[in-house]
Amino acid sequence: MLVFGAIALVAGLLVGQRELVAVGVLLAAVPPLSALTVLGAASRVVHSRTVAPVRVPAGHDARILVRIGNSSPVWPVASLSVEDTLPVPLGAEPRYTVGHLGPRSVRDVSYLVRPATRGNYPVGPLRVAVTDPLGCVRVGRRVGAPAHLLVTPVTVPLASPGSADGSQGEESPRRSVTGAGEQDPVPREYQYGDELRRVHWRSTAKHGELMVRRDEQHWRENSTILLDTRWSAHRGHGPAGSLETAVSVAASVALGLLDGGHDLRFHTERGRVPTMSAAGVLDGLAVVEPSDTPGLLGGIGLLGTSRGTSSLVVAVLGALSPDEAAALARTGGRGARVAVLCAHAAWEGPDAAAGVRDILASAGWRVLVLSSLADLPRLWALAAVRTGTYGPVRAAAPRTPGKGPR
C-alpha cells in the first residue's frame, strides 16, 4: 500500500489530478494508522499453561491447556492468533485463531500430544501475533517460559522374582540375627521392655539370668542391573531402535524387582542410576542419553565392585565383542545371572550375537535374545524358572509301561 500510495501521489502531482493525489495520500496513510491500532497490543497478552499429566509413559496422551488473557482493563486486542512451540517428537505445532479479545477477557485452548519416545520435552513458549483489522500490520512476540513434559520408557509387567523357595516380599524366608534356627536359638540378655513370651527358659536356666530370643529379620534379595547405553552398540532411532528397546527392558525388569521387594543396584557403563523407588527409576531412565564410551568393560567392572552379593544379576546389552562377552561371563558372583541381547543391535555379522550367547551360556548365564519388548514377559518367565528364581525345575521321571508317573 505504501508503494502504490507513493506511485499514485507522484502520478497525480505530475498530471495534475487531485483525485489521484487523494488516493495516493490515503493509501500511504493506512499502514501507519493501522500500526497505531496494534501498538502495544501484543504486550497486553498474557497466558498460563497446564500440562496434565506432567509425567506420562511413551505412547500415551498428555493434554496441554493454554489460557490466554488480555491484561488491559481498557484496550481490546483485535485479531489475535497463537502458536505453541513444540519439539519434533511431540508432533506438529498447534495454531489457533483467537480473534477479538476484549478488555480482561480470557480464552482457553487445549490440544493433545502423544510422544512416542522417552525424554524430557519443553512445551512452549507461546508465540502470539496481533493483526490490525485491515490486515496491513502484524506484530508478534514470544510469551512466557516453557513447561516440561517428562516421558518415561514403555514397560511391560513381569512376574516378581522371589527367593529360592518361591516366597516373595513380606513372605520371604526369615533368619535370626545370629543365624541360628528355631531349634537351637542363640539368645541375648533380657532388656527392659522385652515381652515375656520371648523368654527362652532353657537358656535362662543355663545362664542363671533372664534370656530372650533374638529378633528375626526378613531376607532382602539384592539384585543388580547393567544397562548398555553405548551409541556404537545400538542401531536405529526412535521407538524401533535397539537402545529404546534396551531401556524399556531394563525399566520393566527394575520395576518387577522392586515390586518383589529387592534391593536394587542399577548401572550403566557411565555410572549408577537412582533406584530409591519405581518412579525414580523411570524418571532416571527417561533422560538417559546414549554415551560415546567405546567399550563396556567399565560397566562390567561395576558389577564386580558392587557391595554385597547379588542374588540376581541382569545385563541388558547391545552388541558385544567376544572380549567383552568373556569379561562379562566371569562376573556376576554365584547368584542367578540373566543376559538380555537385543537382536537388532549393531552386531557386526549374523553370527556375532550367537557367538556372544554361547560364551555367556557356557559360563552359566541364562541368555535371552529378543527383537521387541513384547517378547520379554514370556522369555523372562522362562528364565526365572530355569535359573531357579522360582525354585528348581526337575526333569520328569521316566514312565514305566502300564504304570502312572513315578
Side-chain angles (χ1 to χ4, degrees), residues 75-140:
W75 300 102
V77 177
S79 190
L80 174 66
S81 60
V82 297
E83 180 179 355
D84 217 356
T85 305
L86 293 180
V88 173
L90 296 187
E93 297 180 338
R95 297 177 176 86
Y96 298 95
T97 299
V98 179
H100 183 271
L101 196 61
R104 297 294 190 186
S105 296
V106 174
R107 300 285 175 83
D108 290 336
V109 297
S110 66
Y111 59 93
L112 294 175
V113 294
R114 180 176 291 181
T117 310
R118 61 184 176 86
N120 188 15
Y121 297 107
V123 180
L126 190 69
R127 294 194 294 264
V128 301
V130 180
T131 308
D132 72 283
L134 297 179
C136 295
V137 179
R138 181 184 179 91
V139 179

Side-chain angles (χ1 to χ4, degrees), residues 5 28 53 69 76 84 159 164 192 194 226 235 238 242 244 339 360 367 383 394 406:
D84 217 356
Y192 178 78
D194 287 337
L226 172 63
R235 179 179 291 131
S242 64
E244 296 305 315
L360 294 176
V367 183
R394 298 177 176 84
R406 297 173 57 187

Side-chain angles (χ1 to χ4, degrees), residues 189-206:
E189 295 182 0
Y190 175 84
Q191 297 178 359
Y192 178 78
D194 287 337
E195 297 179 1
L196 291 179
R197 61 187 176 90
R198 293 172 51 202
V199 173
H200 192 257
W201 298 108
R202 184 183 304 175
S203 298
T204 299
K206 180 179 179 180

Side-chain angles (χ1 to χ4, degrees), residues 233-325:
H234 293 279
R235 179 179 291 131
H237 302 278
S242 64
L243 177 60
E244 296 305 315
T245 301
V247 171
S248 294
V249 168
S252 301
V253 173
L255 294 186
L257 294 176
L258 290 173
D259 289 343
H262 285 228
D263 287 333
L264 182 62
R265 292 186 294 270
F266 199 119
H267 299 282
T268 68
E269 70 280 355
R270 292 178 292 182
R272 191 165 181 175
V273 177
T275 55
M276 295 300 294
S277 63
V281 171
L282 292 177
D283 292 351
L285 292 178
V287 295
V288 165
E289 297 290 340
S291 72
D292 296 328
T293 306
L296 193 61
L297 295 180
I300 296 173
L302 293 175
L303 295 180
T305 59
S306 298
R307 295 182 179 180
T309 302
S310 295
S311 59
L312 176 63
V313 176
V314 181
V316 184
L317 307 167
L320 266 69
S321 67
D323 292 339
E324 292 168 340

Side-chain angles (χ1 to χ4, degrees), residues 30-41:
V30 167
L33 293 176
S34 298
L36 291 177
T37 63
V38 298
L39 184 63

